[in-house]
Amino acid sequence: MGLNRLLECSKIFDTLTTTMKFCLILAVLRCCLTLVDAAPLQKQEMTRAVERATSLAKKILSDVPAAHQACVNTAGLALSSEAGHLEFFLSDLGIPAPPVLKSEDLSMDVSLSRIVAGLDLHRDLLQDIRERSSSTEELSLLLADITDLSAQVHQMQQLAQIPSTVSQKAAFPALSPRLSGDYQVQVAIHLSLQQLRSFTQDVFRSLRHIAASN
């Protein structure tokens, strides 16, 4: 009886071991299939995120002229005009330059980090100047677009598993206290919008490059 019982226990143990191995194999296969299925899905999500970001960049580019027209009415400050004769205002007023995005050799994580940093810079800059402007509606719409694009780029960073950029507030001194008159206010808005347009054009090209390499 003892031997038979021992043999029965041995068979049960072998059966359980085989079952556990089979379950383990199934679990591994299921995990592999999940990873295989997740890869195309994640790529599709990234593609849609890039498309949304590109659309928002185009919207900013289309909204900049309206904001400029509403806020700047001084002769000689056309949006398309060269800023050469006003370059001294850039340093005198302390308008900071955005990160460089022109190189296509930048990795995606560097590009996205610089895009976020540049967008946050222009958002803070325009929010500061808006306090001195008599036309705030168009600037508010533009600021909303900038905020939306920044949030979309943050989502791209998450999808690409890139650590999100932490915005450094107060990275430059407040500009509005140094604007002594309406002319300086309009020059500051003019230069800031010109710079935002140029930066957003670089953002648009960077996003197109990311889309092509995704």
Side-chain angles (χ1 to χ4, degrees):
M1 290 292 294
L3 181 60
N4 291 335
R5 189 63 178 269
L6 184 61
L7 290 173
E8 289 178 2
C9 291
S10 178
K11 289 180 180 179
I12 293 173
F13 178 77
D14 290 341
T15 301
L16 289 174
T17 302
T18 302
T19 303
M20 290 176 64
K21 288 181 179 179
F22 181 71
C23 291
L24 180 60
I25 292 172
L26 282 179
V28 171
L29 288 174
R30 185 175 298 173
C31 181
C32 292
L33 289 173
T34 300
L35 291 175
V36 170
D37 291 339
L41 180 61
Q42 187 175 21
K43 185 175 182 179
Q44 291 175 7
E45 290 179 353
M46 175 61 80
T47 299
R48 287 193 291 267
V50 175
E51 289 174 350
R52 288 192 294 267
T54 303
S55 178
L56 286 168
K58 290 175 67 175
K59 190 173 188 303
I60 290 174
L61 290 173
S62 66
D63 287 349
V64 165
H68 190 279
Q69 184 177 5
C71 300
V72 181
N73 52 37
T74 299
L77 296 182
L79 183 62
S80 58
S81 63
E82 295 292 334
H85 67 292
L86 297 173
E87 282 186 354
F88 72 96
F89 274 107
L90 288 171
S91 57
D92 186 51
L93 296 176
I95 297 177
V100 177
L101 277 175
K102 292 185 180 296
S103 175
E104 292 187 353
D105 296 330
L106 296 176
S107 62
M108 183 169 68
D109 60 331
V110 172
S111 292
L112 295 180
S113 296
R114 291 188 180 185
I115 289 173
V116 170
L119 291 172
D120 289 351
L121 182 150
H122 286 98
R123 182 182 59 205
D124 293 345
L125 185 61
L126 291 174
Q127 282 178 338
D128 184 25
I129 301 174
R130 182 178 56 174
E131 298 178 2
R132 298 291 304 276
S133 175
S134 58
S135 302
T136 60
E137 182 178 354
E138 287 77 7
L139 283 180
S140 296
L141 292 174
L142 188 58
L143 284 166
D145 293 338
I146 294 172
T147 299
D148 289 344
L149 179 53
S150 180
Q152 189 61 48
V153 176
H154 276 298
Q155 184 181 2
M156 290 173 59
Q157 289 178 315
Q158 292 175 359
L159 289 171
Q161 297 181 343
I162 299 171
S164 295
T165 303
V166 178
S167 178
Q168 297 180 351
K169 297 296 182 182
F172 56 90
L175 184 62
S176 55
R178 284 170 282 163
L179 304 177
S180 57
D182 185 62
Y183 178 73
Q184 283 195 342
V185 171
Q186 294 203 26
V187 168
I189 295 175
H190 168 73
L191 292 174
S192 298
L193 290 178
Q194 277 193 328
Q195 182 172 277
L196 172 62
R197 184 180 64 170
S198 177
F199 177 74
T200 307
Q201 288 170 343
D202 291 339
V203 169
F204 183 80
R205 283 189 288 268
S206 295
L207 292 172
R208 292 284 297 271
H209 180 68
I210 291 173
S213 59
N214 183 34

